[in-house]
Amino acid sequence: MGVFLLIMILIALYTIVVKQKYLPAKVIHWLFITYIGILLLSAVIAPFLPVEAVTIKEKIGKEEAEQEREKYFNNLAKGNLDEIKNDYSVEEKSFHYKNDTLEIVPGNDSYLNMYVERKVSDDNQIEVFVYMNDLIINGYKITKVKKPYELDLNENILTVIPITQDINISITEKEFPINQITKENKSFPGFDYSVDPVIYMKIPKSLKIKEGDNIGIQEVNK
């Protein structure tokens, strides 16, 4: 819609300038055609440029967002992984592990939110699930946020390295005449929720966990 209005404005200016004869009509004619050609070429090329961008999934009300967030943490606390949204699942890993103790260390002194579920047997397997709920900015769900952590198991130490991502958001509205016709409310919902990355681990029954600083571990009893 914005490009269409721009073209209409340029046509109007072209007509006015030609009639007033500020510049030779032929010069203005070719300048106008060149400019329109650049606009059209840009529109064709833009989708193929290698730009990694986040996208807006949908608009959401604050009450609904709070309910989704509460359900997310309740399912984690109860170990109901099948009830967690598929798009919240970021990564799944499995480690063969025979030591008696596992030390968990957060990289870069970041805070880790973890849930630990003990299996019914000592099967020498550690299963790790990384979850991350929606990022919400101004009441809009944002997608294509990168995974929050890299996991590195070295002997008896599991290092969790946080991954940072810069996100540039630009939210535009419909032009004023369109809003007048549709009577759409122009105000943004105006609330934000940061993502809540979580590591959920299923560990052998007898494995001892040694946690470093800045780690919150909640035992899951199923």
Side-chain angles (χ1 to χ4, degrees):
M1 181 62 69
V3 174
F4 175 76
L5 288 177
L6 177 61
I7 293 174
M8 295 301 295
I9 291 171
L10 288 173
I11 292 174
L13 290 174
Y14 170 77
T15 304
I16 293 172
V17 172
V18 169
K19 287 184 177 180
Q20 295 297 323
K21 296 183 180 179
Y22 293 130
L23 290 174
K26 181 176 288 189
V27 173
I28 297 174
H29 174 77
W30 285 110
L31 285 174
F32 177 76
I33 291 177
T34 301
Y35 185 69
I36 294 299
I38 292 173
L39 282 179
L40 294 175
L41 183 61
S42 300
V44 172
I45 294 176
F48 300 99
L49 294 177
V51 177
E52 184 175 5
V54 297
T55 56
I56 294 177
K57 288 172 62 176
E58 60 182 314
K59 185 187 292 186
I60 186 172
K62 187 173 183 180
E63 183 177 351
E64 183 183 354
E66 289 174 348
Q67 290 174 353
E68 286 190 2
R69 190 168 183 268
E70 182 179 357
K71 184 178 180 181
Y72 169 62
F73 282 110
N74 284 341
N75 284 326
L76 286 167
K78 295 176 181 178
N80 297 333
L81 302 189
D82 292 339
E83 300 295 324
I84 298 175
K85 288 185 176 181
N86 290 334
D87 54 354
Y88 286 0
S89 178
V90 179
E91 186 177 18
E92 296 182 12
K93 278 192 174 184
S94 180
F95 301 102
H96 185 70
Y97 193 77
K98 291 185 176 181
N99 294 337
D100 296 329
T101 303
L102 175 67
E103 182 178 359
I104 302 174
V105 178
N108 302 334
D109 296 324
S110 60
Y111 179 80
L112 297 180
N113 190 10
M114 302 188 65
Y115 292 79
V116 174
E117 174 188 337
R118 293 190 179 275
K119 302 179 185 180
V120 295
S121 62
D122 291 318
D123 61 356
N124 297 325
Q125 291 291 324
I126 297 176
E127 299 173 52
V128 182
F129 305 83
V130 181
Y131 293 99
M132 185 166 61
N133 57 349
D134 290 313
L135 169 65
I136 299 177
I137 299 178
N138 256 338
Y140 291 90
K141 288 185 178 180
I142 308 299
T143 61
K144 287 198 73 174
V145 178
K146 293 179 180 178
K147 68 179 183 179
Y149 303 118
E150 286 286 353
L151 306 175
D152 180 37
L153 180 62
N154 185 10
E155 296 183 353
N156 67 326
I157 298 176
L158 177 64
T159 304
V160 183
I161 306 168
I163 300 174
T164 59
Q165 179 182 6
D166 294 328
I167 300 176
N168 299 315
I169 300 292
S170 178
I171 300 176
T172 58
E173 296 181 281
K174 295 177 182 177
E175 290 79 1
F176 179 75
I178 301 300
N179 279 299
Q180 290 294 305
I181 294 171
T182 61
K183 301 187 182 301
E184 184 177 325
N185 186 1
K186 292 182 65 176
S187 61
F188 291 133
F191 71 94
D192 303 328
Y193 278 140
S194 60
V195 293
D196 300 292
V198 167
I199 295 177
Y200 190 102
M201 297 178 59
K202 295 182 179 182
I203 63 174
K205 179 180 179 180
S206 304
L207 181 64
K208 296 177 182 178
I209 297 293
K210 181 181 179 182
E211 57 188 90
D213 297 330
N214 298 326
I215 299 180
I217 295 182
Q218 180 174 335
E219 289 267 354
V220 178
N221 297 316
K222 296 190 69 176

